[in-house]
Amino acid sequence: MSTRRSRSTQSASRISDDQINDLVSKLQQLLPEIRTHRSDKVSASKVLQETCNYIRSLHRDIDSLSDRLAELLENADPTQASVIRSLLMQ
Amino acid sequence: MSPSQQPTSTNPSSLKNQFAHRFIRALKTLNHTKTGAAHDHNQMYRRSIRVKIASYTAMASVVGSRRAWSRAVLWKIIKRSRNQGLLLRKRKRRNPNPKREDFNPFRNSGQELKLRKLVPGAETMDSWCLMGETADYIKCLVAQVEVMKTLVDLYSIT
């Protein structure tokens, strides 16, 4: 058991540099701000920080959109929903 | 249920379509169960919470069991619906593998811990899986926001 764990941490530290940088750059591609700068040497901690901020802002967007949808649904005609659905399916 | 359970999780438009399908279905159910009562503040708040939960549930169910974050979301929803009448407080889950946190290639545990709090089900993953899950989670959140914006636009025109 202990040998397996030490082996896994050893192998993990062996793969850490290259592939972790690869993962970090992939994550970087998804972030809207850093993507525009296109600099190679964005530090990993900056990417993580931007990721956290981005996820939080997406959560806030979803909250406010839920509020708007709840308001709009109050007045919505139920037949409209099927019309909208057919529009979206196309 | 839906026949289009495509294995390609990377196709954003199919993700949006499937999410829109399930989300709108959930919204219709919500609409039918409303009581048509007075527009008081508390009720509006509760409706918006239900819409929000429907949105996250719909996205998690589209992704299904492919991802750890979607499994965590669905599990949370199931647990909550089971505990509905019992008013149980959410208990902080202890990390069953505390040794795992030693594997920290970023060596900036502050940021990574914050990330783990944001991504569902991420507390006990190792850093490797965390990155992949975060990327997928962000893609799905973006799709979710886009579909909801489209819906808001459509509903506010008519």
Side-chain angles (χ1 to χ4, degrees), chain A residues 50-61:
Chain A
E50 287 302 319
T51 309
C52 290
N53 293 339
Y54 190 40
I55 292 183
R56 280 193 210 113
S57 88
L58 287 173
H59 283 169
R60 280 196 299 267
D61 284 347

Side-chain angles (χ1 to χ4, degrees), chain B residues 130-148:
Chain B
L130 179 65
M131 293 299 119
E133 290 290 317
T134 307
D136 192 73
Y137 186 53
I138 288 182
K139 275 186 218 158
C140 294
L141 279 182
V142 168
Q144 204 172 328
V145 166
E146 284 175 12
V147 171
M148 286 173 82

Side-chain angles (χ1 to χ4, degrees), chain B residues 49-109:
Chain B
I49 297 277
R50 285 198 202 116
V51 169
K52 185 168 64 163
I53 293 181
S55 166
Y56 281 115
T57 311
M59 181 50 90
S61 78
V62 169
V63 175
S65 51
R66 277 187 306 225
R67 284 282 172 182
W69 70 263
S70 60
R71 293 195 294 265
V73 169
L74 292 172
W75 180 230
K76 231 187 284 187
I77 304 282
I78 291 177
K79 268 202 305 193
R80 192 183 294 192
S81 66
R82 276 189 200 155
N83 294 339
Q84 203 83 53
L86 298 179
L87 285 178
L88 284 178
R89 281 267 151 228
K90 187 174 80 161
R91 267 185 246 149
K92 268 259 165 87
R93 240 180 39 162
R94 291 284 164 82
N95 188 356
N97 282 347
K99 285 276 170 66
R100 263 200 164 159
E101 304 211 358
D102 292 339
F103 173 53
N104 196 353
F106 296 106
R107 282 171 282 279
N108 45 6
S109 36

